[in-house]
Amino acid sequence: MKRYLKKAKRPGVSWVKIIHPKNVVTAEWVRIKCQYGCGRYGTCLTCPPFSPTPEYTRKMLEHYSKALIMIYDIPPEPKERRMRQKMRKQIASLEKEIFLDGYYKAFGMASGPCNLCKTCDTNQPCKFEELARPSMEACGIDVYATLANVGYKLEVVKSYDQLCHYCGLILID
Ligand code: SF4
């Protein structure tokens, strides 16, 4: 696990920790924040209503004994889009490496809607299935409560020109 911790600490990642998945909090209210308040609801294959429900995620978490949780510091536009793509690719690549090491259940989650394509065609299969992963919140995870459980205080971002802290998670068993 220490090797994965080291690999996860890349430029742009300000905090990383190995945690027990019992600290990951799921809640029904999270999904409604996607439905009312996010303009990408229903427009991306990794987001609700296509992504796992909080109930499904809750049950899924029981099958894992460890998780790597990390914080990416993402600057505002014009860098935001590229940095978010980089985050998604790094999480998918580390998930793949962990999988190839024999942890065959490894599964990564990122933050925000997938932005690997300019437009996500929800009527077609995903174009980059090896890279596209749902965000934690799209799976009904309360990211603020989860981070608080493992010793990181995530603050609410109050303006579009502020640095954002995006959270990523890789489940391992
Ligand atoms: S990789 Fe493209 S097609 Fe797949 S979920 Fe992301 S935006 Fe949609």
Side-chain angles (χ1 to χ4, degrees):
M1 289 302 131
K2 275 188 187 160
R3 186 159 60 87
Y4 301 141
L5 204 60
K6 213 170 157 187
K7 289 224 162 176
K9 271 185 196 157
R10 302 182 208 229
V13 175
S14 59
W15 184 86
V16 56
K17 193 171 182 177
I18 297 283
I19 63 162
H20 193 286
K22 70 177 182 202
N23 290 297
V24 177
V25 180
T26 54
E28 304 303 321
W29 66 263
V30 181
R31 207 171 169 87
I32 214 141
K33 289 287 230 179
C34 293
Q35 192 168 354
Y36 302 99
C38 179
R40 296 293 309 275
Y41 180 80
T43 67
C44 182
L45 289 168
T46 61
C47 289
F50 307 104
S51 54
T53 62
E55 190 189 359
Y56 185 101
T57 305
R58 206 171 299 134
K59 287 181 185 157
M60 179 187 168
L61 288 167
E62 289 170 9
H63 297 273
Y64 292 88
S65 57
K66 292 172 199 66
L68 190 62
I69 193 163
M70 59 213 109
I71 294 287
Y72 281 82
D73 290 345
I74 309 263
E77 287 294 10
K79 289 187 179 164
E80 193 219 355
R81 182 183 159 83
R82 192 175 49 82
M83 294 295 287
R84 286 210 298 119
Q85 284 180 337
K86 201 169 151 193
M87 168 188 70
R88 307 196 83 83
K89 288 176 184 168
Q90 286 182 355
I91 290 171
S93 146
L94 188 52
E95 178 212 277
K96 186 177 178 184
E97 183 178 334
I98 296 170
F99 168 81
L100 292 174
D101 282 345
Y103 296 102
Y104 59 88
K105 284 162 38 185
F107 189 78
M109 296 179 191
S111 279
C114 180
N115 67 344
L116 295 173
C117 307
K118 239 181 180 170
T119 313
C120 186
D121 185 351
T122 57
N123 293 309
Q124 298 292 329
C126 177
K127 289 190 182 109
F128 299 104
E129 70 280 359
E130 74 284 7
L131 297 174
R133 294 292 180 271
S135 66
M136 294 169 69
E137 61 275 20
C139 299
I141 294 174
D142 178 344
V143 179
Y144 288 86
T146 300
L147 284 168
N149 276 349
V150 295
Y152 186 97
K153 189 172 171 10
L154 184 65
E155 304 279 356
V156 170
V157 174
K158 294 181 179 155
S159 83
Y160 287 107
D161 54 9
Q162 260 183 278
L163 187 79
C164 279
H165 302 295
Y166 279 71
C167 191
L169 185 77
I170 303 178
L171 296 166
I172 309 168
D173 190 66

